[in-house]
């Protein structure tokens, strides 16, 4: 009995000790919370989460400016993988324009129930809209872009007295409404003192912006109340040419496991092209618009003589084998339709093929996101990876070259991300040389906004130069960070520069849009969310000299066309000097460029029945050309 009482007393003592320890631990935690998190919601569990960044900014008023600046910059600098969800949110809520006239919603919904059911249990990321931040009557906007190496590029534009921009459409950036805050921080550190509009010059086409003539015309046109600051360097055309030559010299495609008769035919074609004799002056071609007209002529001839393409039958509709031939992404649909119906190049026996076509539509794949099972970009990457693994397991051709003799054609903005792990030749509309587009392996797909499948060449052509009374024209939605800058500098500033925001989409609005392009000497092709824009092809369509303002954009058919002969490429930082750049071009030079636009026009036209040198053949030729100059044997 005494032993039992002693044991019971000991047990009670141990329980008291345990409770005391637990009490001390809880007290310590409470004290730690009180002293360490005195700012309430400032605690951010994951510094790489954009939602966390937004929470951080929403509570920024509790910190002083300098401390908040350092904290915010550190958080953003560590965000190396946070661009996907913002882009997904943008495209989830901006599908109307891309799918105008689409009757595919029911098909997509049915397809979601079958082909995408396997994704239902995977990690999906719910997207939440973020509250918009406005700052009185002064808007400070900017752009932050994540790069593959984890570094952060910042492009800041400071707008004063921009009440119109605040009340009107807002530019969307990778970090949405977080950007005005970080821009304010950068501006507070004195970066706004950099005046890019002063001292900007251009040597394009021998332009001398300091000439008396230009000094006179520049009076009242250099508006300094809106100063873009771009902390990154653009890849120049000469650098792109160097990258193209380096790509050909290095021939980065893997060696095939075994050489085939098709490989030997490609090697023979390469020798023929490299040793091409002087041009025989083909009536449809003019040497001035090509990098090397002799090589282009011979390459095109060899393509028509020997090229054979195999199209994989695998893949179910609507993602595969169902072209969408209207809208802003119609290029991939038209190519698919014409390729699958072609009898000259397509073969049924894959052993006869030099190239293998993966017939998927990036636009249709994106359309599947509109259903209830909205997926993350990585899920769609896996979907395409599963497709490649399917054909690699069923056929030997992919594994023989590692995909180097396979190609895909994709126009959606996401395509460059969706296909980044597919080591095939990619024809992409979003040809951003700074974000994964490989010059020499990949090729640029022109963006053609097709409004009528029955009449794709409707309203072709424009007024002669003598009747083009406008210096420049632009109209479009305020997509991305660049277009608001363009309007801030040049909207309603000069009578001969018609720079507008979005025009009405009714019949009259579309007619005015066409008439302005047909009546302008130069048509401004300013990038939107991504580097590509349909205005490049529209300019050529209406015989207006394109002025491309899109850093790091690789123009279509860059392998063979000399874009500087018929277009003007202006760096984004030179928008303040845009008028001077255009006025500095002599009339004789403009007339030459206008004539060359008409010469290259045939390369950018869709025909229901393909004709020589048309857009279908040019896309196929670029794929062929890049394969020929990257072929390797043992």
């Amino acid at each position: 009995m005494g032993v039992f009482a002693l044991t019971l007393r000991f047990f009670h003592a141990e329980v008291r000790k345990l409770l005391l320890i637990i009490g001390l631990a809880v007290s310590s935690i409470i004290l730690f919370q009180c002293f360490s998190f005195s700012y309430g919601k400032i605690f951010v569990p994951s510094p790489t989460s954009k939602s966390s960044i937004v929470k951080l900014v929403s509570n920024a008023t509790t910190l002083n400016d300098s401390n908040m600046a350092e904290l915010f910059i550190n958080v953003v600098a560590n965000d190396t993988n946070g661009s996907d969800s913002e882009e997904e949110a943008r495209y989830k809520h901006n599908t109307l324009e891309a799918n105008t006239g689409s009757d595919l919603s029911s098909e997509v919904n049915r397809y979601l129930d079958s082909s995408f059911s396997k994704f239902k249990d995977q990690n999906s990321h719910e997207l939440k809209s973020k509250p918009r931040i406005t700052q009185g009557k002064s808007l400070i906007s900017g752009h932050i872009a994540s790069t593959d190496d984890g570094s952060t590029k910042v492009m800041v534009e400071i707008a004063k007295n921009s009440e119109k921009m605040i009340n009107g459409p807002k530019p969307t950036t990778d970090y949405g409404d977080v950007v005005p805050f970080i821009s304010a921080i950068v501006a507070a550190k004195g970066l706004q003192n950099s005046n890019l509009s002063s001292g900007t010059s251009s040597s394009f086409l021998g332009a001398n912006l300091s000439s008396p003539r230009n000094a006179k015309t520049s009076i009242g046109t250099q508006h300094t109340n809106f100063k873009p600051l771009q902390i990154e360097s653009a890849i120049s055309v000469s650098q792109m040419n160097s990258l193209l030559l380096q790509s050909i010299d290095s021939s980065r495609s893997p060696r095939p496991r075994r050489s085939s008769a098709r490989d030997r035919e490609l090697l023979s074609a390469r020798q023929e092209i490299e040793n091409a004799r002087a041009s025989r002056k083909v009536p449809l071609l003019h040497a001035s618009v090509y990098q090397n007209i002799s090589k282009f002529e011979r390459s095109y001839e060899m393509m028509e003589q020997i090229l054979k393409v195999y199209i994989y039958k695998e893949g179910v509709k609507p993602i595969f084998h169902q072209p969408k031939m209207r809208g802003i992404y119609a290029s991939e649909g038209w190519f698919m339709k014409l390729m699958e119906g072609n009898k000259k190049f397509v073969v049924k026996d894959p052993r006869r093929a030099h190239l293998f076509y993966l017939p998927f539509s990036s636009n249709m794949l994106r359309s599947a996101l509109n259903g209830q099972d909205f997926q993350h970009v990585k899920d769609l990457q896996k979907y395409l990876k599963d497709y490649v693994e399917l054909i690699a397991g069923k056929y030997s051709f992919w594994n023989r070259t590692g995909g180097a003799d396979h190609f895909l054609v994709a126009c959606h903005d996401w395509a460059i991300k969706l296909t980044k792990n597919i080591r095939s030749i990619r024809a992409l509309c979003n040809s951003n040389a700074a974000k994964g587009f490989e010059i020499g392996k990949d090729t640029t797909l022109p963006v053609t906004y097709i409004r009528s499948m029955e009449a794709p060449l409707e309203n072709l052509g424009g007024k002669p130069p003598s009747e083009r009374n406008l210096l420049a024209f632009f109209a479009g939605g305020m997509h991305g960070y660049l277009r608001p800058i363009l309007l801030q500098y040049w909207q309603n500033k000069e009578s001969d520069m018609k720079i507008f925001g979005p025009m009405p989409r009714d019949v009259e609005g579309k007619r005015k849009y066409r008439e302005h392009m047909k009546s302008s000497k130069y048509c401004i092709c300013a990038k939107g969310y991504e580097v590509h824009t349909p205005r490049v092809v529209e300019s050529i369509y209406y015989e207006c000299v394109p002025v491309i303002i899109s850093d790091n954009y690789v123009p279509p058919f860059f392998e063979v066309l000399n874009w500087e002969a018929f277009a003007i490429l202006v760096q984004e930082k030179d928008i303040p000097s845009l008028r001077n750049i255009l006025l500095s071009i002599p009339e004789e030079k403009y007339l030459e460029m206008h004539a060359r636009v008409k010469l290259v026009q045939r390369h950018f036209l869709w025909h229901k029945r393909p004709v020589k040198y048309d857009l279908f053949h040019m896309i196929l030729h670029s794929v062929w050309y890049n394969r020929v100059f990257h072929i390797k044997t043992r």
Side-chain angles (χ1 to χ4, degrees), residues 53-64:
I53 295 175
V54 173
K55 291 178 182 178
L56 183 152
V57 174
S58 67
N59 292 276
T61 56
T62 62
L63 296 177
N64 61 61

Side-chain angles (χ1 to χ4, degrees), residues 116 164 245 414 462 510 595:
F116 275 84
K164 290 182 180 179
L245 294 175
W414 278 12
K510 292 176 181 179

Side-chain angles (χ1 to χ4, degrees), residues 45 90 109 127 153 186 236 249 268 324 438 477 489 499 503 570 577 602:
R90 166 155 60 85
N109 290 333
L127 301 176
K153 297 178 180 178
V186 176
S236 66
D249 292 340
S268 176
K324 184 175 183 295
E438 299 182 46
Y489 268 101
I499 309 297
M503 297 183 75
V570 176
S577 300
R602 63 176 55 88

Side-chain angles (χ1 to χ4, degrees), residues 34-293:
C34 291
F35 286 102
S36 298
F37 304 107
S38 57
Y39 299 110
K41 296 180 182 179
I42 196 67
F43 176 66
V44 183
S46 173
T48 60
S49 169
K50 280 194 182 70
S51 61
S52 300
I53 295 175
V54 173
K55 291 178 182 178
L56 183 152
V57 174
S58 67
N59 292 276
T61 56
T62 62
L63 296 177
N64 61 61
D65 292 341
S66 60
N67 291 339
M68 191 61 217
E70 297 299 329
L71 178 58
F72 186 82
I73 290 172
N74 288 336
V75 172
V76 174
N78 290 326
D79 183 15
T80 59
N81 299 308
S83 61
D84 288 347
S85 60
E86 186 73 22
E87 290 186 358
E88 288 171 2
R90 166 155 60 85
Y91 291 112
K92 186 177 181 183
H93 297 290
N94 289 277
T95 58
L96 180 61
E97 178 180 353
N99 294 300
T100 301
S102 174
D103 58 355
L104 298 169
S105 58
S106 59
E107 297 179 50
V108 170
N109 290 333
R110 288 196 299 271
Y111 188 62
L112 278 169
D113 295 334
S114 56
S115 299
F116 275 84
S117 60
K118 65 179 182 178
F119 290 133
K120 290 182 180 180
D121 297 328
Q122 295 180 359
N123 295 328
S124 62
H125 299 261
E126 182 179 358
L127 301 176
K128 299 180 179 179
S129 59
K130 301 173 182 179
R132 182 164 296 281
I133 299 173
T134 57
Q135 301 179 2
K137 295 185 178 180
S138 176
L139 174 66
I140 303 177
S141 63
H143 178 72
I144 298 178
S146 298
T147 58
D148 294 337
D149 60 359
S151 62
T152 301
K153 297 178 180 178
V154 182
M155 286 180 281
V156 181
E157 305 89 32
I158 301 170
K160 298 179 181 178
N161 302 320
S162 53
E163 187 174 359
K164 290 182 180 179
M165 292 177 61
I166 294 176
N167 296 330
K170 305 294 191 301
T172 302
T173 61
D174 288 345
Y175 279 82
D177 294 309
V178 176
V179 172
F181 183 76
I182 186 62
S183 300
I185 295 170
V186 176
K189 292 190 174 184
L191 293 181
Q192 81 275 27
N193 293 329
S194 299
N195 185 355
L196 293 181
S197 65
S198 62
T200 306
S201 62
S202 173
S203 58
F204 183 80
L205 295 175
N208 180 6
L209 301 185
S210 61
S211 65
R213 173 193 173 192
N214 293 323
K216 180 178 180 180
T217 58
S218 66
I219 296 175
T221 64
Q222 297 299 317
H223 311 285
T224 59
N225 64 323
F226 191 83
K227 307 171 185 178
L229 175 61
Q230 181 175 311
I231 311 175
E232 70 168 0
S233 58
I235 301 175
S236 66
V237 174
S238 60
Q239 289 173 322
M240 290 181 185
N241 280 316
S242 298
L243 290 172
L244 178 61
L245 294 175
Q246 291 173 17
S247 174
I248 293 174
D249 292 340
S250 62
S251 191
R252 293 173 292 178
S253 62
R255 295 178 183 276
R257 294 183 177 180
R258 58 188 182 279
S259 179
S260 68
R262 307 291 85 78
D263 295 331
R264 291 189 288 274
E265 288 173 352
L266 291 178
L267 279 173
S268 176
R270 175 172 178 166
Q271 293 175 355
E272 289 274 350
I273 296 168
E274 289 178 332
N275 298 323
R277 296 181 180 179
S279 171
R280 295 182 297 280
K281 295 184 178 180
V282 178
L284 294 177
L285 305 180
H286 194 278
S288 63
V289 298
Y290 300 97
Q291 303 273 12
N292 186 316
I293 191 172

Side-chain angles (χ1 to χ4, degrees), residues 395-578:
Y395 303 91
S396 62
F397 307 104
W398 178 278
N399 293 329
R400 190 182 74 87
T401 63
D405 54 359
H406 289 57
F407 74 98
L408 57 88
V409 178
C411 195
H412 192 270
D413 299 23
W414 278 12
I416 193 168
K417 281 190 174 183
L418 296 178
T419 61
K420 69 177 183 179
N421 297 322
I422 300 178
R423 298 304 302 165
S424 65
I425 300 170
R426 302 179 301 171
L428 301 173
C429 289
N430 190 4
S431 54
N432 190 334
K435 290 190 176 180
F437 183 88
E438 299 182 46
I439 297 176
K441 180 183 79 69
D442 300 328
T443 186
T444 302
L445 179 65
V447 186
T448 55
Y449 198 157
I450 302 298
R451 294 170 174 82
S452 171
M453 290 174 51
E454 294 73 26
L457 302 183
E458 188 178 15
N459 298 309
L460 181 67
K463 296 180 180 179
S466 59
E467 298 179 20
R468 291 179 178 262
N469 301 319
L470 296 178
L471 177 65
F473 166 69
F474 172 84
M478 293 298 97
H479 302 160
Y481 63 88
L482 187 70
R483 294 180 183 179
I485 300 176
L486 177 67
L487 264 66
Q488 182 67 19
Y489 268 101
W490 297 112
Q491 185 176 30
N492 299 324
K493 299 299 192 302
E494 301 291 341
S495 60
D496 60 352
M497 292 183 70
K498 301 299 183 182
I499 309 297
F500 304 117
M503 297 183 75
R505 290 180 173 272
D506 56 15
V507 174
E508 181 62 17
K510 292 176 181 179
R511 185 193 66 80
K512 287 184 177 180
Y513 182 88
R514 289 195 303 269
E515 286 304 309
H516 277 98
M517 276 203 154
K518 291 171 177 282
S519 304
S520 298
K521 296 174 66 175
Y522 302 99
C523 289
I524 309 300
C525 309
K527 64 178 287 186
Y529 292 122
E530 302 294 345
V531 293
H532 56 293
T533 169
R535 286 160 188 79
V536 176
V537 174
E538 286 177 340
S539 299
I540 296 172
Y541 195 89
Y542 298 123
E543 299 171 1
C544 180
V545 175
V547 179
I548 302 174
I549 310 177
S550 180
D551 289 354
N552 303 319
Y553 175 60
V554 182
F557 315 132
F558 184 77
E559 305 84 4
V560 296
L561 292 183
N562 176 20
W563 276 84
E564 290 179 301
F566 58 88
I568 301 172
L569 284 76
V570 176
Q571 290 192 11
E572 295 171 12
K573 67 180 179 62
D574 291 331
I575 285 180
S577 300
L578 180 60

